[in-house]
Amino acid sequence: MIIYDTHFNANEWFIMISLCFGFVCVAFFPKRFPRQVAAVFLMCGVYSGFFFDHSLSVEPISFYDVNDISKFQLMDFLSYFMYAPFSYFFFYAYDRLQLKPSYIPLYILVWSLASVGIEWLAVLFGVFHYQHGYQLAYSLPIYLLVQSCWVALYHGLKNRSFL
C-alpha cells in the first residue's frame, strides 16, 4: 500500500468543491430532460468514472492511484460523483446545440480535451497519482470512446421518444 498523504487537504477539497459546484449548477440550470432521463445522464458520468478507474487502477498493474492511499476509501467513492454533472452538461449542451452530424466529432473532441484539462487539474490537486508509465495523454482516447458512446446513447433515447 502506498500512502501519498494523511491529511484532509487539496485533493479532498477539489472533490468536495467539484461536487458542490457541479450539482448546484445542475439544480439551477433550466430543466431540459425528464427526471428519469436526467438521472441516466448523471449516472453516465458516475458509471464511466467507476468503470475506468477500476479497470486502470487495480492490480496486477495499477496505472494510477486515487487520492491519499492506494487502497479504496470513502473519498474515492465520492470522487466518482464528480463526473455526474460533467456528463449531464455534455448531454445538456449536445441537446441544446442540435448539431449537424458533421459537427459531432468536433463536439466530442472539444469535450474530450476539456475532460483531459479537468483531469490535469485533478492531478495537480493530488486526486490522481500516475504510475507504471501512465500519462495524461493516455486518457484522451478513453474520453473520446466514452463520449462517443454517450452520443450513441443520446440518439438511442431520442429515437425511442424518451427525449
Side-chain angles (χ1 to χ4, degrees), residues 105-125:
L106 179 61
Y107 183 81
I108 292 168
L109 178 63
V110 167
W111 275 85
S112 295
L113 290 172
S115 300
V116 169
I118 292 169
E119 184 176 328
W120 174 75
L121 280 175
V123 169
L124 288 179
F125 281 91

Side-chain angles (χ1 to χ4, degrees), residues 36-48:
Q36 296 87 346
V37 173
V40 168
F41 291 164
L42 287 163
M43 290 309 296
C44 282
V46 175
Y47 173 78
S48 299

